[in-house]
Amino acid sequence: MKSILDYETVDYDRDLNIVKIIDQTKLPSDIQIEELTTSQQVWDAIYLLKVRGAPAIGVAAAFGLAMLACQIETTDLDEFERELISKKDFINSSRPTAVNLSWALGRIMDRYREVKNRLIKEENIDISIIKNTLLDEAYKIKEEDILVCRSIGEYGLSLLKPGDGILTHCNAGQLATCKYGTATAPIYLGHEKGYGFHVFADETRPLLQGARLTAFELSSAGVDVTLICDNMAASVMAKGKVNAVLVGCDRVAANGDTANKIGTLMTAVLAKHYNIPFYVCAPTSTIDMTAETGADIVIEQRDVKEVSHMWYKEPMTAENVKIYNPAFDVTDGSLITGFITEKGIFKSPKEM
Ligand code: MRU
């Protein structure tokens, strides 16, 4: 039987010119593939977390922009460029924290400028060549994501030993990338080698990425995974059940401060207290050297109903209760044992 890991998190149908994603808001009960054909659909899919996780957001945005470029009907290069920039800006406004969004859109735009300059030089302004080049670049971003995650998995596995207990927060799994995940990559590679890891997945309030996605994908792969509520992490650590914490990231500042799903900071503080290594699995595309420290990272604030209403038959707070719902927090670089990247393991981005 097909498992969730046999589906493509993000894909493109080149014959029909459509972006295809797993609608992650429906998981784990329903595996539905959603087709995106308009800029509003791409924006909504990212904002509503149908496609989520920093690397997957980047790939979806790259395919989205390349698809929208293919829909532009003009032979005038200036007009094409104006439309392309306005679509890029629109998609870029869907979520602020994960740098992979602007990074992937930037790669498509860099490719655009490169091919435009070449065609101008050759006096051959053929917009269909530009469109195909942008699509090829989006495919390249996806293929690279798979290689990057595999490499993070290999480096990460070198830090672990058979039988280890591993705690992870949110979903930095295959569903957040195109294969392997980042924080889950060492787990999947170790599982293939019979390492027998015991994984604790924080449920990750309020949107339950840990419960709905991480526990689902790891258990589908046959990994020994135990779901815990976020407030149980201290208890499993205190009992000596956790040898390492592996998490993903949405933006890493130059000094190592790291934005990731809300609750990551709490997990890092606990890991420090219990002397457990705390690793951030970080594709280098998630490192933003223009942000000097975590204070330069914009933290997305989301609808408070995600806390009070979502998942409940009746609202679970009294009316007028004030609610705070930041989607991410920033873990101080000093709490991070190391960054596991596709290029190796580093203490800080400045060493990479
Ligand atoms: O709001 P989300 O679900 O997009 O948040 C995802 C995370 O915080 C992940 O840990 C991060 O994007 C890394 S995914 C490899």
Side-chain angles (χ1 to χ4, degrees), residues 10 46 51-62 94-95 98 100-101 104 176 250:
V10 186
I46 296 173
V51 59
R52 33 70 47 206
I57 290 171
V59 175
S94 52
R95 291 190 80 187
N100 305 61
L101 175 61
D250 285 82

Side-chain angles (χ1 to χ4, degrees), residues 49 52-55 57 95 169-172 176-177 182 209 248-250 260-261 328:
L49 275 58
R52 33 70 47 206
I57 290 171
R95 291 190 80 187
H169 189 75
C170 190
N171 175 264
T177 65
T182 58
Q209 290 93 332
C249 52
D250 285 82
N260 191 48
K261 179 53 53 197
F328 302 95

Side-chain angles (χ1 to χ4, degrees), residues 159-167 198 240-245 275-279:
L159 298 166
L160 303 170
K161 38 181 206 327
D164 270 355
I166 298 165
L167 185 135
H198 306 286
K241 290 177 186 291
V242 180
N243 302 95
V245 177
N275 211 12
I276 297 167
F278 181 93
Y279 294 109

